[in-house]
Amino acid sequence: MNEEPALRRELAATLLADIDGLIEQLAADICAHSVRYASGSPVSQEDLRVTLRGNMELALNEFGGTRADADRFEAVAAENGRLRAEQGMPLATVLQAYRRGGRVLWQAMADWMRDRSPAQQRLVGDMAGAVWETIDRFSSAMADAYRLRTLELQHREASRRGALFEALLDGRADDPAVAAAATALGVPRQDRYAVVVIDQDTHDPSSPPDPGPALEARGLWSYWRPRAGTVAGLVRVRAADPDALADVLRAQGVRRAGISPAFESLADAAQGVRLARRALDTLPPGSGQVAGLDDRLVHAALGAEPEIADRLTARYLDGVLRSGAERQVLLETLRVWLDSGCSASAAAAALFCHRNTILNRVGRVAELSGWPADSGESRLGWALALRALELEH
């Protein structure tokens, strides 16, 4: 006759009769091996003992073969997992507590078995297997529920952050509900922020790359959302140099992006996205450029008034634009000459030619355009017209 079921029932009943002492022993053991549980936060000592009592009663009844609680076994384990996930207790810490519980339970059973008959003591191995099978089942059900609840919480927070971000970019930062959401999500209303708008290549599923982790490694918190053919990001730059933000984006392989000037209130986020978009629109498609608005102010101003840009190019460079084969070399020489402070020597060094060649080409531009090279208005007009031409490409 198999004595094991009867022996398991007797053992379970014995331990259940002294469950208070068992719970205190188990709580002390868990706290001795876990700083998180010992601290009482986020799991209070009372919460720990209530959970241990419920779990231990179920485990002992399961071990002893009491079927009254069989249907509740997985349900209680799953509820424990969901609760610990909501409290933010690390899963590894919770699983360690379950293993400690198994060790304490088995030690209590081994102590009880020591006084049994030799025939009954031969059943220790089988009973040990039953104990750990019970603990494993409970742990697995708890861990599965923990992971599922964690995913649900992450999805909920992502949805809340997404809704908050859209509200900020739509100019609703002063809405009390939005302000409350920002506080709840730990996004300060007053800080130093910038908005980045990255062009999205619809033919490349990996475009654009996610710059969030690289920015975080540089101490720059950010949040990103797809938005009308682009990806927009709110970046908490604090005291960081705006050029550092652009450098990180370039290093991540971002091919085309505009960056707003820094601002100090979430109420200015909507303006930030407009200015970042203005900066982006000044960059030629496929240019691989990342630029802040302050570096593209002339382009942005001209882009906002396309009729004015057209008039500029017609007034100051019409003859050059119609010069046929000369056009490209004259425009490039003029651009370098202006960028070199109108120094023929500096332009010649940059273009690897003689300074007289530069002077001859600038003279040819003056001839074709009808504007003298030594005129301040000519130089300003040519510079603006060249910027306007960049917007056409």
Side-chain angles (χ1 to χ4, degrees), residues 163-241:
L164 169 63
F165 189 59
E166 292 298 330
L168 293 175
L169 297 191
D170 288 341
R172 292 187 282 122
D174 291 329
D175 184 320
V178 175
T183 301
L185 293 172
V187 184
R189 297 188 66 189
Q190 300 294 323
D191 209 316
R192 193 163 181 263
Y193 295 97
V195 172
V196 179
V197 176
I198 304 176
D199 188 30
Q200 190 166 23
D201 185 351
T202 56
H203 302 292
D204 182 359
S206 64
S207 169
D210 180 9
L215 290 170
E216 185 176 358
R218 296 284 292 271
L220 303 175
W221 173 92
S222 64
Y223 187 76
W224 300 85
R225 291 278 290 182
R227 192 175 174 87
T230 64
V231 173
L234 178 67
V235 184
R236 192 177 176 190
V237 295
R238 293 188 168 178
D241 186 335

Side-chain angles (χ1 to χ4, degrees), residues 106-178:
W106 172 242
Q107 186 61 53
M109 291 180 172
D111 291 344
W112 184 83
M113 288 290 293
R114 194 173 293 116
D115 296 329
R116 312 304 294 182
S117 68
Q120 290 177 331
Q121 289 183 10
R122 285 195 291 270
L123 298 175
V124 166
D126 292 338
M127 294 178 69
V131 169
W132 287 109
E133 180 183 355
T134 299
I135 298 298
D136 286 345
R137 282 181 56 205
F138 207 93
S139 298
S140 296
M142 182 279 298
D144 288 345
Y146 181 104
R147 295 186 183 98
L148 180 59
R149 185 57 178 157
T150 297
L151 290 175
E152 292 171 349
L153 293 172
Q154 289 172 346
H155 177 72
R156 178 187 297 176
E157 180 164 344
S159 297
R160 291 175 65 197
R161 286 188 179 275
L164 169 63
F165 189 59
E166 292 298 330
L168 293 175
L169 297 191
D170 288 341
R172 292 187 282 122
D174 291 329
D175 184 320
V178 175

Side-chain angles (χ1 to χ4, degrees), residues 277-297:
R277 181 73 212 210
R278 290 285 293 276
L280 175 65
D281 289 342
T282 70
L283 304 175
S287 64
Q289 291 179 267
V290 176
L293 180 68
D294 287 346
D295 296 325
R296 306 287 294 178
L297 285 175

Side-chain angles (χ1 to χ4, degrees), residues 72-109:
R72 294 185 56 235
F73 190 81
E74 276 79 11
V76 170
E79 181 58 31
N80 288 346
R82 286 190 290 269
L83 175 62
R84 294 298 180 249
E86 290 168 1
Q87 292 172 326
M89 198 69 164
L91 179 58
T93 302
V94 182
L95 287 172
Q96 182 190 47
Y98 276 67
R99 289 192 294 272
R100 301 307 307 176
R103 289 173 63 88
V104 169
L105 180 59
W106 172 242
Q107 186 61 53
M109 291 180 172

